Amino acid sequence: MTIELDSRDRSILRILQQDGRITNSDLAEKVHLSPSACLRRVRQLEESGLIRGYAMMLDDKTAGFPGTAFVFVTLDQQGRASLESFEQAVQDLPEILECHLLAGAHDYLMRVIYRDSADFERIHTDILTQLPGVTRVQSTLTLRTIKKTSALPV
C-alpha cells in the first residue's frame, strides 16, 4: 500500500530522517506550518505506519564492532517449516543486524557485525553454522564502509 504524500509531508519525512529528535516547533518552522498543523501531519504519518518509530543510531566502531561481514546462507530445504525455523532462530542473535530471504543461488543474506577475527570465527562456528537447516555459509568481509544510511529517498 502506497501513501499519498504532498511536498510538506515529504519535507517532514526528510527532516525527521536526518534529525528524529527535532522539536515539533523547529520542524514546523522548517516546513512553514503552524506547530499544531505540523504535529497533526506527523501523527497521521505515524498512524499510517509510514513512520515506524524513532531510534538512536550507534557508531559500530566506537561501540566495539569494527568488523562487518555479509553472509550468504544456504539451507538444506526451502519448505515453509525450514524457512520459519531458520528465521525464528535468527531473531534472537544480536550479531545479525539484518537478514533477507533471497531469490537466487542462496537462501538468505545477512549483515553480521563482529569485534575481531576471533569473534567472527566464534560467530561463524558456534552460531551461523549451527542455525537450523544450514548447509552452507559463505562470508564476505568488508574493508570499509563507503555509504551507510537509513534515510529513504522520499
Side-chain angles (χ1 to χ4, degrees):
M1 181 177 110
T2 305
I3 298 166
E4 287 294 321
L5 302 172
D6 65 17
S7 63
R8 285 223 170 100
D9 291 330
R10 291 180 194 287
S11 292
I12 288 169
L13 292 170
R14 278 192 295 275
I15 293 166
L16 285 174
Q17 286 186 105
Q18 293 302 311
D19 182 6
R21 295 181 60 182
I22 190 170
T23 65
N24 182 63
S25 59
D26 288 346
L27 178 60
E29 185 177 322
K30 288 184 180 221
V31 297
H32 309 292
L33 287 172
S34 70
S36 61
C38 183
L39 184 59
R40 187 170 38 255
R41 283 181 182 250
V42 170
R43 286 197 174 136
Q44 288 172 342
L45 292 166
E46 291 169 343
E47 290 167 5
S48 74
L50 184 57
I51 296 176
R52 285 189 306 155
Y54 301 87
M56 170 184 54
M57 295 181 350
L58 299 177
D59 180 78
D60 303 6
K61 289 183 180 87
T62 305
F65 297 96
T68 300
F70 289 93
V71 180
F72 289 101
V73 173
T74 304
L75 302 183
D76 57 356
Q77 299 177 38
Q78 284 74 40
R80 183 179 308 269
S82 294
L83 298 178
E84 288 175 359
S85 178
F86 175 85
E87 291 170 12
Q88 184 60 44
V90 165
Q91 297 300 319
D92 297 326
L93 300 172
E95 299 91 348
I96 300 173
L97 299 183
E98 296 178 34
C99 182
H100 305 272
L101 179 63
L102 302 176
H106 304 283
D107 296 314
Y108 291 94
L109 173 64
M110 299 186 292
R111 183 165 65 99
V112 176
I113 57 168
Y114 58 94
R115 295 182 186 282
D116 54 30
S117 61
D119 189 38
F120 185 71
E121 182 179 3
R122 175 192 62 81
I123 293 166
H124 181 275
T125 304
D126 298 342
I127 297 174
L128 300 178
T129 60
Q130 303 305 310
L131 288 167
V134 170
T135 59
R136 182 172 165 85
V137 173
Q138 183 179 351
S139 302
T140 301
L141 308 182
T142 65
L143 297 177
R144 104 182 121 98
T145 300
I146 309 307
K147 180 180 179 180
K148 182 177 180 180
T149 182
S150 62
L152 298 178
V154 292

